[in-house]
Amino acid sequence: MSDNQLRIVWVYPDLLSTYGDQGNVLVVERRARQRGLDVARLDVRSDQPIPTSGDIYLIGGGEDRPQRLAAERLLRDGHLFQAVNNGAIVFAVCAGYQILGHEFVNDVGQRQPGLGLLDVTTVRGEGERCVGDVLADIDPRLGLPALTGFENHQGVTHLGPTARPFARVQLGKGNGTGDGTEGAYNDTVFGTYMHGPVLARNPLIADLLLKLALDVNALPPTDDRWYEALRNERISAAQQPA
Ligand code: GLN
């Protein structure tokens, strides 16, 4: 973090913001301000260069065609690599997650290169689309409570040896490979299929991103009663028989 200001970058809201994932930016921003941090939020449209000076980059989900355009532009832009090399944190959802991988199958059925920031590859699932509430256990190394989210994707994501599964599903499909994994991460780069928005349902993930950005082990506590109510409601919804 430079100048004592936390810079949150919301990547391509014009292409990757169809599923309410913008809520993730609001949650990170609010929780940072609650801790007294000076926060700058930068919304970067797909016709603008990605800044390299961000601390936390958030990327949302999107439909297949905008996903193709977003991947092309991010790859051409190249600045997200630079930011990650400088130690930036990236948290990406669904289409954004797929774009972080080596490749995915796009809207015209072609294998398209992603950014290769995560050791994952996405193919088009042959079965039904994965849709519904998910309940999962986050990798215990991250010390976080259960993950609640909503998934809606056709893509099936396979993890390579250097990506760790972000979570293991109790209910729902996650990466869709049948091995129970959901999402992937590697140092400071995180991908998940969870919408919700996922950081509104799991505010301690937002705090993890803040702790990584600030390089601290703990943050002052916040009043999380509203978040808890939302979490409990969505967790019981996931547990209802379909
Ligand atoms: N188009 C991608 C898929 O269906 C991602 C969808 C999304 O972001 N919700 O797999």
Side-chain angles (χ1 to χ4, degrees):
M1 218 172 77
S2 51
D3 318 333
N4 285 328
Q5 189 180 51
L6 182 85
R7 294 193 178 85
I8 305 170
V9 182
W10 176 222
V11 177
Y12 295 176
D14 52 327
L15 293 177
L16 299 175
S17 191
T18 24
Y19 297 90
D21 297 323
Q22 186 181 359
N24 291 337
V25 194
L26 299 174
V27 172
V28 176
E29 197 181 350
R30 178 169 166 73
R31 295 182 75 81
R33 288 193 204 284
Q34 283 178 307
R35 273 54 177 260
L37 297 171
D38 177 15
V39 182
R41 166 178 164 179
L42 300 144
D43 289 16
V44 182
R45 291 175 55 89
S46 63
D47 58 355
Q48 298 174 319
I50 299 282
T52 53
S53 59
D55 298 296
I56 301 176
Y57 292 76
L58 296 163
I59 313 179
E63 283 149 11
D64 294 358
R65 185 166 181 277
Q67 175 175 347
R68 166 163 56 88
L69 300 177
E72 284 168 5
R73 291 176 194 186
L74 280 172
L75 205 56
R76 208 181 314 136
D77 174 275
H79 289 145
L80 199 57
F81 288 109
Q82 236 171 291
V84 170
N85 281 336
N86 296 343
I89 290 126
V90 182
F91 183 84
V93 174
C94 204
Y97 166 38
Q98 296 179 5
I99 290 172
L100 292 187
H102 300 298
E103 66 174 39
F104 62 90
V105 176
N106 67 17
D107 59 322
V108 290
Q110 288 168 341
R111 288 162 53 184
Q112 180 174 340
L115 299 177
L117 287 169
L118 275 177
D119 185 14
V120 304
T121 301
T122 300
V123 295
R124 228 184 139 66
E126 298 300 326
E128 275 178 33
R129 207 174 162 80
C130 303
V131 182
D133 264 290
V134 174
L135 181 60
D137 297 312
I138 297 180
D139 185 340
R141 289 192 191 189
L142 297 175
L144 292 167
L147 173 68
T148 155
F150 186 84
E151 64 183 335
N152 182 356
H153 56 102
Q154 189 67 44
V156 167
T157 300
H158 297 271
L159 274 57
T162 68
R164 287 186 67 83
F166 180 58
R168 298 209 172 255
V169 292
Q170 291 178 30
L171 299 163
K173 300 281 187 339
N175 288 323
T177 51
D179 66 358
T181 63
E182 155 23 51
Y185 75 102
N186 163 21
D187 296 330
T188 60
V189 180
F190 296 82
T192 176
Y193 270 112
M194 300 297 98
H195 302 285
V198 65
L199 298 184
R201 291 198 193 188
N202 305 274
L204 295 185
I205 301 177
D207 284 4
L208 170 71
L209 305 179
L210 291 173
K211 285 191 270 186
L212 288 169
L214 300 171
D215 199 15
V216 295
N217 291 325
L219 292 170
T222 47
D223 178 356
D224 286 349
R225 278 173 291 179
W226 282 102
Y227 291 104
E228 278 306 318
L230 172 64
R231 280 178 66 73
N232 292 337
E233 196 238 5
R234 294 324 303 164
I235 290 171
S236 15
Q239 288 166 333
Q240 298 303 314

